[in-house]
Structure formats: structure tokens, C-alpha cells
Amino acid sequence: MNKGLLSDQHDGISRRDLLVMAGTAAATLASYGHTARAAPAGGAFAIDEVKQGEDIFAYVNRIKGGFDQTAYQQVIGAANAFKEGDQAIGVGAEDETTRRNARTLLANTKIEDLHRRPLFEDDLQKLIWQTTDQPQYEKVKDWTMGQLKEFLLAEPEENIKGIMNGLTSDTIGFVPKLMSNEELVSLSQKIFNVMPGTRMGAKGYMGARIQPNSPTDNPDDIVWQVFDAFSYATGDIVIGTNPVDSTVASVVAVERALKDIVDTFGLGEVIPWCVLAHIDVQAEVNDSFPGTVSTVFQSLAGTDDCNKIFDITNEKILKYARAKEGERYGLYFETGQGSEFTNGAANGVDMMVLESRKYGFSRAVGIELAKVQPRGAWLHINDVAGFIGPEVFKSREQLVRCCLEDMVMGKLHGLTIGLDICTTLHMTVSLEDLDWCQDQIMPANPAYLIALPTKNDPMLSYLTTSFQDHVRIRERFGFKVNDAMWDFYKRIGIVGEDNSYTANYGDPLWVYYQYRLAKGDGRSKDAIYVEGGQKMREVEGRGVDLATGHGEEIWDLNATLAAKVKSLYDDAKQSLWAELTPEFIAAVPDVVPVRTLSMDRNDYIAHPNTGETLSPDAIAEIQRIRDAWEGNMPKGQIVISDGLNAKAIMDDGHLAPYLEEMRRLLAEAGVTMSDKNIIVTSGRVRAGYRIGEVLFENADPNSFRGILHVIGERPGTMHHAYSVYITVAKGKQWSEKKIDHDMTKLVSNVADTALAPKEAARETLTIIREIVGKDVNGSRRYG
């Protein structure tokens, strides 16, 4: 391990921030970089013919006259099932003939030969090699990939586990390329990696991560969603909420709320909790408020470059694993295909192999955890398939394929792996399609799925699995909840002794009543119900739905809630295709309208890079603004873009209050701002960076300059929210034209019904002061 890579701790980007970026900046779980390297940027690869017995290296030598790294990467990538992301990297197959030929070449190639020629080498790859079991590798190194495939399909679990720790992550990443969906399901049905001291991850068990997200991190929103989950006997592996505000003060408030539920119900040895802030922030919370942190979370990517945006390195994560010495709970990781490609850090390697490398990273961490956790390493993975959007893959069939691939790769790494079978609202996968996807994937027996009150996340603005979907899946496939948690559901009266649901099923008020009794509350049931009912109305008034009862079947939403979810879905589609009107643009004070290279809304959604690149006319207009300053360069520039939700910008009471308050606060602070408001049609976050690079390329190298980029978030909630991307950097950095997400802070979920625009302006100023190093009361980081 390269310990020199361990950087100083600072705020990292949370999944919430990254999802907002994914919707507006073509970013995802790990956003970094500009353009893919080592392979052509876009396009497809053709293989016209393969000679008898030819392997990859013989083929590359024949067509290139010697070894060629790019052609090697392309052949490997061409063996994948079709996904848009591989085409963008330049490693997708041109047609089915190419795909079949690439698979033939791969099947003929020896494992050892592939190992000797890594697709890409960095410190993460070296860590994977170091933690691959050498004696087991010796057993398989002379096999061809075709032989490995046949072994995995023919042999029982015991024999597979006798060699799988000897498979490198690249080798494991090659396996699904050679298999059909049916073969992937068959293999996944044979391999089970059980969480220590539980039945989670065991054959026939399928659990849930409760995801009680709040648009404002309101503890009541979060707590009541947990009560709601319990009323459907759903939740066993972790209660994990995604924070809007990843500050110590905010995170500790949510951690305490979750801990209180677990402690009150006596579940400390049964289910952990987690606030999915950056791992450094979680560590700070644990240091400052001992006992409030349970399982620790981090998102992972498959290259060192892509992990940079998270401010993580191999050694940092291993250090946090060692810090879990003697504890019951360990680490929780999230991954997803495409995170490297969308950020230009794929290095010419296809999405599936890079996903496998994340599992190799996780396996290495599990080995370290096992050294310090005498009861067994508590580590699990959530594969967030479908999280990014149509630039990675578009259809429900591709979502199923991705989940099955990742299940096999995770299980072959010895991991307890769950799924977020999800879709963004700018994909073509519908609410009904998600049910179909669940039914195709469930025979592979994932360890767990995400769980929400409805399919629609009220804060992350994407679609995933509802509490009642879990009920349907358990009924259809016969899956069980972890035994200890099922006993708890019996104890609180949601499940009867005969394992059937009671009359309290789907009633979060009943769970609240049980919670109050466990607290020693001596009031009558009626009094507690009145109080609880009021709290539920307050939660729902903030745009957080709570599922109660059921429809025709016990796994259906009640009719009123089902109609509301459908209306939010329909509104999201309208918001996605909405455009800034000429009247709105003209009404923005001192407006300078510009465009990116996106030809229209369809081009913008399908090809994110077009929304990141300014048109020649836009560049000329921005240069005119710069030239008009005539030596009096201001400290900052405001940029406004439609993003994926123009309505978020145009709704009454959204943009104007923020601009007015922001300019007032900056003027009081003595920060000179450009008097122009640059408004970008079809703009993504990186368009703001490019504007700053033009405006500030001649700035004093040691003086701070900044861009405040207001941009519409992903649609899908009642809020029509926008975000403010705050990029403050020295003139030297702007002139070098290397500005990217790793230099940017974020204020998100701004709307008149969520984070009020004037409050968002105050947060923005606080963050600016922190970036430039000035002390400030009420720090967003420390509260």
C-alpha cells in the first residue's frame, strides 16, 4: 500500500451530493476527471473473424502486429452484453457477431496470461493482487476462462469456495461476460456468504436496508419511516439514511435519532444504523460523540483516480477497518457500474471489470476486518444498479443484466451483497417495470434490497423498492427475514406466532405505540395515537410519504398513496422535458443567456457531455463579459442552469429570493460580484467550471475567484428543488483549466418547501468563508 496517498481529512461528497451531480453533471458514485484515457472516447469495436483456437493475445498480435493495450481492452469490453456506457468508453461491441467473437477469444485465453497483462494498473489493482489467495490461484492459473466458466456452473458451492479467493477481481469480472442471464442466476443460486452471527446472506433469506431519507434531515421524518418499515416487518441488515447536510452537527442528530430507536427496542445486537456521510465525517462524529456511530459507510470506485473525489485511498479505508477492533459492526460499502466512465476515470476499462475491482477492494477490507473482529468481519455491499442514468444503460433488460452480473461478481469475491434495483426518472424504466425487474432478479437471491415507504425516494429523487415490495417478494419467492429481526416483529405484534401478519400490519402508529411503551410511557393508547397521528401529518406535510394499510393485495399501496406516487412520477417526466421559457430568461436581472452544445432536450439527456461543453457563441459572450471588466475583475460570477429540472428554477419563490439574498450577503461581506447573471440552457455542472475558466484565466494566481452555479436537480419529488455548486479556487487553478467536482462544495435541495432559498444563501456564504479559511460562527461543518 502507498501510505503516502493518505490525504488530510476534509469534507467529502455524500451520496446525496453525488446523486445531484449525477442528474446534472453526468456524474455518479465517484465523480472525477474530464475525458476517458487509453481508449477512444466513444464508438464501437469490431471483430470480423476468429481463427480456430485463437485467444485474445494471438488475435491482438495478428491484427496489430504485436501487443496493443487499447485493442486488448477493446476485445475484453466487446465481450460484454450491450450497455451504452461501454460504447462511450470505446470498448463496446459493434454488433452481435463481434460480441460472440470476443467471447470466443476470451474463453480460449488462460487465466495466467490475462493476469500477466492487467487491463490497467494502479494502487488499487496492486492491493487486489496482494489480497488474492496465492495457493488457490495456483490451482486455476492454467485454466482457460472457458474452463473456469464450466467449473463454476458444474461444481457445488464447497468446490467453488475452494478456488474463488484465488481469482483476481479482473478474472471474476471476466466471468459474467461468458454467461447468459440463466447461467448467472444458476451460479448465484449456489454461492452464499453469510453475515457472521446472522442468517443474512444465507440461502432463502432476503433482507432490507431501511432507507428513511428526509429532504431536510428532519429526525421525525427519519424516525417515522423506520416505524413504517417495522409495520411491514421490513428491515434487518441496516437502518441507513442519506444525509442532505453532511456536517458533524447534522449527522450526529440523525445518528442519535436512529440509535434511540435501536436502543429503545433492545436491538443493539440485532440491527446497526448508519448515516451515509463521508467516512471522515462519520469518524469525527464518533470521536466527538462516542457511541453514536454504528456501522460505517463509504462509496467505492474501481480506480484510484475515481476514488479521489471521495477523498479516500486504500490505506485510509483499511485504517478505518482496523479502527473497528472488537466492535460488533464493521463497514458498509456502495458501488455501481459506470461511476468511472461518467467521470473520465475508466482508463479504457469496461464498466463490469471496474465494478469487480470495487468488490476486490471490499474483499481486501474484509480480510483486514477479520483480523480485528473476533466474532467475524461485519461487511456488506450494496450494488446501486441503475443509479446514474441513461448514459450508462437505458432499459429494464439492461438493469436486470447489470444486477445479475454484479450479484455473481460480488458472491465470487466472498461478499454479502445486496441490491438497489433502481432507476432514475430520466430513464425509460417505469414503476411497473421495476416489479418486472425484481421478479427476474430475485431467483439469484440477493442478501437484501433497499426499502422505502413507496418506490419514490422523497429526497434522492429516484425509484427503488418499497416496503410493500418486500412483502410481495417474500410471499412469491418464500424468502425469510433474518431470524432475530423476525422475532422482534413478533414481539411488537406485527407478526403472529403462526408467522402470519396481524391486524397491526401496515400501521406505523402501532409501532409508535410500542416504542412509547418501551420508553415507559404511561399514557393511554388513545393519547399516544393522537400524538402519533399529529406527528405523521407533520411528516407528510414536509413531502415525506408514509405507507399505511394496503390496497387490494397486502403488498399493494393504499389507493390514495398509489395515485400520489403516480402523480409524482408524471410530474417528474414533465419537469424533465421542461425548458426555460424566453419570458423567464428575460425577467432575470442583467441576464446573459448562453447555450451548451446540446442540440435539444433529447440530446442533453442522452449525451451528458454535450451539456458540459459551451457553444462557440457562448464562449464569445463570456469573453465579452470578461473584457468589459477592464482590469476590475470581480471575485465571483453567478451562473444559472436548467439542469434536469427547469421548473425548479422557474417556480415562483425559488430563484429570485436566493439571488437577492446572496447578492446582499456578499455585498455586506465585501465580496465583489459580476453584475451579470449568466443563464445556461441545457447546462450541466461542468458548464459552470468552463465558464469560470474563461472568466478567470487571467486572474491573480494567488487570489480566490468563485463560481456560484444554481442548477435544477433531478425531478421526482414535490419540491422541484435546485442546488448551488460552490467552486472557489485560486486564479492559478482557474488558468490551468483543471477545475472539477473534487474542488466543489454543494448546497442542495433548495426550494420554498425544502431548504428555503434565503437560508440556502446563508449556507452558501458560510461555505465560501470556510473555503477561503476565515473563521465563522455557525460553521456548517461543526454546527
Side-chain angles (χ1 to χ4, degrees):
M1 265 69 74
N2 185 349
K3 295 183 180 180
L5 289 177
L6 186 60
S7 62
D8 293 336
Q9 293 185 3
H10 62 269
D11 277 336
I13 290 192
S14 69
R15 185 185 180 208
R16 162 64 185 172
D17 297 350
L18 287 161
L19 181 58
V20 175
M21 286 185 177
T24 54
T28 180
L29 297 173
S31 312
Y32 183 69
H34 292 301
T35 56
R37 298 186 292 273
F45 180 68
I47 303 174
D48 295 327
E49 65 166 336
V50 172
K51 297 188 180 298
Q52 183 69 30
E54 195 170 37
D55 70 2
I56 288 176
F57 300 104
Y59 171 78
V60 170
N61 186 71
R62 175 165 64 84
I63 65 167
K64 293 292 185 179
F67 180 74
D68 182 274
Q69 183 73 13
T70 297
Y72 174 42
Q73 293 172 325
Q74 289 174 320
V75 175
I76 294 289
N80 282 350
F82 173 78
K83 297 190 190 83
E84 280 75 12
D86 286 334
Q87 302 295 107
I89 293 170
V91 297
E94 183 174 86
D95 49 33
E96 286 304 313
T97 297
T98 294
R99 188 165 287 108
R100 286 194 300 271
N101 286 338
R103 288 170 176 169
T104 297
L105 292 170
L106 179 59
N108 290 340
T109 306
K110 284 188 175 183
I111 291 173
E112 183 177 31
D113 293 339
L114 291 162
H115 179 67
R116 287 174 175 170
R117 291 282 194 182
L119 289 168
F120 175 70
E121 185 173 341
D122 59 4
D123 284 341
L124 177 53
Q125 180 66 80
K126 293 172 184 175
L127 174 65
I128 291 167
W129 286 335
Q130 292 164 9
T131 51
T132 300
D133 186 278
Q134 192 62 32
Q136 289 192 14
Y137 170 73
E138 292 295 324
K139 296 179 184 178
V140 302
K141 67 178 185 179
D142 293 326
W143 296 3
T144 64
M145 284 301 303
Q147 289 174 310
L148 175 60
K149 170 191 170 180
E150 295 308 316
F151 175 88
L152 294 173
L153 292 175
E155 295 297 318
E157 180 182 39
E158 179 183 4
N159 293 351
I160 293 171
K161 288 193 170 181
I163 61 100
M164 71 185 195
N165 288 336
L167 303 176
T168 67
S169 296
D170 280 16
T171 302
I172 291 173
F174 299 152
V175 167
K177 299 172 186 285
L178 302 178
M179 291 187 176
S180 66
N181 283 13
E182 293 73 21
E183 289 170 329
L184 291 171
V185 169
S186 175
L187 178 53
S188 188
Q189 287 174 339
K190 293 197 294 184
I191 306 171
F192 295 93
N193 306 302
V194 184
M195 292 285 283
T198 79
R199 298 300 294 154
M200 290 180 289
K203 185 180 180 67
Y205 284 77
M206 200 284 296
R209 169 202 154 187
I210 303 171
Q211 184 169 290
N213 291 340
S214 165
T216 55
D217 289 337
N218 187 297
D220 275 354
D221 294 354
I222 293 162
V223 165
W224 274 93
Q225 288 179 82
V226 177
F227 294 157
D228 202 9
F230 287 174
S231 77
Y232 292 97
T234 296
D236 55 3
I237 197 163
V238 66
I239 306 169
T241 186
N242 301 92
V244 176
D245 184 356
S246 294
T247 63
V248 169
S250 180
V251 169
V252 73
V254 177
E255 294 269 16
R256 284 169 169 165
L258 296 177
K259 181 180 187 299
D260 173 68
I261 296 173
V262 172
D263 289 349
T264 299
F265 281 127
L267 297 173
E269 289 292 305
V270 177
I271 187 170
W273 65 91
C274 184
V275 177
L276 281 69
H278 186 272
I279 196 167
D280 289 346
V281 176
Q282 294 169 81
E284 269 188 71
V285 171
N286 193 52
D287 290 343
S288 301
F289 305 94
T292 58
V293 175
S294 181
T295 287
V296 175
F297 161 84
Q298 183 56 46
S299 292
L300 300 181
T303 66
D304 291 344
D305 287 343
C306 207
N307 276 318
K308 179 182 177 182
I309 193 64
F310 295 113
D311 185 26
I312 63 169
T313 62
N314 303 340
E315 183 57 33
K316 175 179 280 193
I317 299 301
L318 293 171
K319 179 194 73 173
Y320 282 123
R322 298 181 198 113
K324 283 291 183 179
E325 183 172 3
E327 296 186 19
R328 163 69 166 160
Y329 300 118
L331 295 173
Y332 163 35
F333 296 137
E334 284 191 350
T335 68
Q337 285 194 35
S339 55
E340 300 80 15
F341 127 70
T342 58
N343 297 286
N347 297 290
V349 181
D350 65 90
M351 297 190 299
M352 191 158 60
V353 168
L354 292 175
E355 180 71 9
S356 188
R357 283 165 53 108
K358 299 163 199 173
Y359 304 148
F361 194 173
S362 304
R363 180 170 68 181
V365 175
I367 292 170
E368 201 69 19
L369 264 180
K371 298 174 184 177
V372 299
Q373 291 194 312
R375 298 167 64 179
W378 185 286
L379 181 145
H380 61 94
I381 306 295
N382 178 30
D383 168 39
V384 189
F387 191 63
I388 302 173
E391 60 266 35
V392 174
F393 56 79
K394 291 182 179 179
S395 71
R396 67 179 193 171
E397 290 80 12
Q398 289 173 304
L399 175 57
V400 168
R401 176 72 191 186
C402 181
C403 288
L404 295 178
E405 291 167 349
D406 295 352
M407 284 289 298
V408 162
M409 293 189 297
K411 287 188 172 188
L412 284 174
H413 278 92
L415 301 172
T416 303
I417 181 168
L419 296 174
D420 192 348
I421 305 173
C422 62
T423 177
T424 65
L425 285 150
H426 60 313
M427 290 173 65
T428 58
V429 181
S430 69
L431 291 162
E432 293 75 22
D433 286 337
L434 279 182
D435 291 345
W436 180 86
C437 291
Q438 292 166 5
D439 290 347
Q440 307 308 303
I441 294 164
M442 283 306 103
N445 203 164
Y448 65 96
L449 300 178
I450 295 298
L452 307 174
T454 74
K455 282 183 169 69
N456 189 27
D457 190 293
M459 183 269 279
L460 290 175
S461 304
Y462 80 125
L463 302 177
T464 184
T465 315
S466 72
F467 299 153
Q468 287 167 312
D469 287 331
H470 280 262
V471 176
R472 183 184 73 84
I473 289 167
R474 294 196 297 254
E475 179 75 16
R476 175 164 183 180
F477 295 95
F479 289 135
K480 298 178 181 179
V481 173
N482 186 40
D483 295 346
M485 203 66 190
W486 194 251
D487 289 343
F488 163 70
Y489 294 133
K490 288 183 176 181
R491 172 158 59 90
I492 64 170
I494 299 299
V495 178
E497 288 303 317
D498 62 353
N499 290 315
S500 63
Y501 300 111
T502 70
N504 304 313
Y505 168 87
D507 184 2
L509 274 174
W510 172 262
V511 178
Y512 179 64
Y513 175 54
Q514 297 299 308
Y515 167 81
R516 293 308 314 169
L517 291 179
K519 287 279 193 185
D521 193 330
R523 291 177 296 165
S524 68
K525 178 182 175 183
D526 287 346
I528 293 173
Y529 263 55
V530 168
E531 176 185 77
Q534 177 60 33
K535 288 179 177 291
M536 287 180 66
R537 287 188 290 274
E538 291 170 0
V539 168
E540 291 175 323
R542 289 188 288 268
V544 177
D545 292 316
L546 297 173
T548 56
H550 58 82
E552 184 175 345
E553 301 287 353
I554 64 168
W555 49 80
D556 294 333
L557 292 176
N558 70 66
T560 301
L561 185 54
K564 180 179 180 182
V565 172
K566 178 64 165 58
S567 71
L568 288 172
Y569 179 84
D570 292 341
D571 178 70
K573 293 301 183 183
Q574 294 171 14
S575 298
L576 179 66
W577 293 98
E579 297 182 347
L580 298 173
T581 65
E583 295 77 14
F584 175 81
I585 294 173
V588 175
D590 298 304
V591 67
V592 178
V594 299
R595 295 190 61 92
T596 64
L597 290 184
S598 296
M599 293 181 293
D600 53 31
R601 199 69 180 159
N602 186 67
D603 188 32
Y604 174 77
I605 293 168
H607 305 106
N609 61 308
T610 64
E612 299 177 343
T613 309
L614 300 171
S615 70
D617 287 346
I619 294 173
E621 193 66 48
I622 294 161
Q623 287 172 337
R624 280 192 284 273
I625 294 174
R626 180 195 63 199
D627 295 344
W629 291 338
E630 295 181 342
N632 295 311
M633 182 180 291
K635 293 292 186 181
Q637 173 68 56
I638 292 175
V639 177
I640 303 153
S641 291
D642 45 10
L644 285 176
N645 190 355
K647 286 186 176 183
I649 304 299
M650 294 190 294
D651 280 0
D652 290 342
H654 277 206
L655 180 64
Y658 178 82
L659 293 182
E660 292 166 4
E661 183 72 358
M662 192 74 257
R663 287 190 176 276
R664 184 185 71 82
L665 292 172
L666 289 169
E668 287 181 354
V671 179
T672 57
M673 295 292 291
S674 165
D675 59 357
K676 303 298 184 184
N677 288 306
I678 298 174
I679 195 161
V680 185
T681 297
S682 299
R684 293 181 182 264
V685 174
R686 285 194 176 107
Y689 305 154
R690 306 293 82 83
I691 289 171
E693 289 168 352
V694 174
L695 291 176
F696 303 135
E697 64 180 350
N698 299 318
D700 178 345
N702 297 311
S703 176
F704 284 106
R705 293 291 186 276
I707 293 288
L708 300 183
H709 193 173
V710 179
I711 187 164
E713 292 182 3
R714 281 183 176 180
T717 72
M718 62 173 273
H719 301 291
H720 287 182
Y722 61 84
S723 292
V724 183
Y725 287 79
I726 305 159
T727 309
V728 179
K730 295 285 185 70
K732 181 177 185 293
Q733 294 168 300
W734 289 109
S735 64
E736 290 174 346
K737 302 186 186 303
K738 295 180 180 179
I739 302 295
D740 210 78
H741 302 320
D742 58 332
M743 304 177 70
T744 295
K745 302 295 183 182
L746 178 67
V747 175
S748 63
N749 214 52
V750 185
D752 57 349
T753 54
L755 178 61
K758 289 189 176 182
E759 177 62 27
R762 290 190 284 272
E763 283 201 25
T764 302
L765 182 61
T766 298
I767 292 171
I768 292 170
R769 284 174 166 165
E770 290 174 348
I771 293 172
V772 300
K774 294 181 180 178
D775 293 333
V776 58
N777 293 327
S779 164
R780 192 169 177 272
R781 179 75 182 267
Y782 295 100

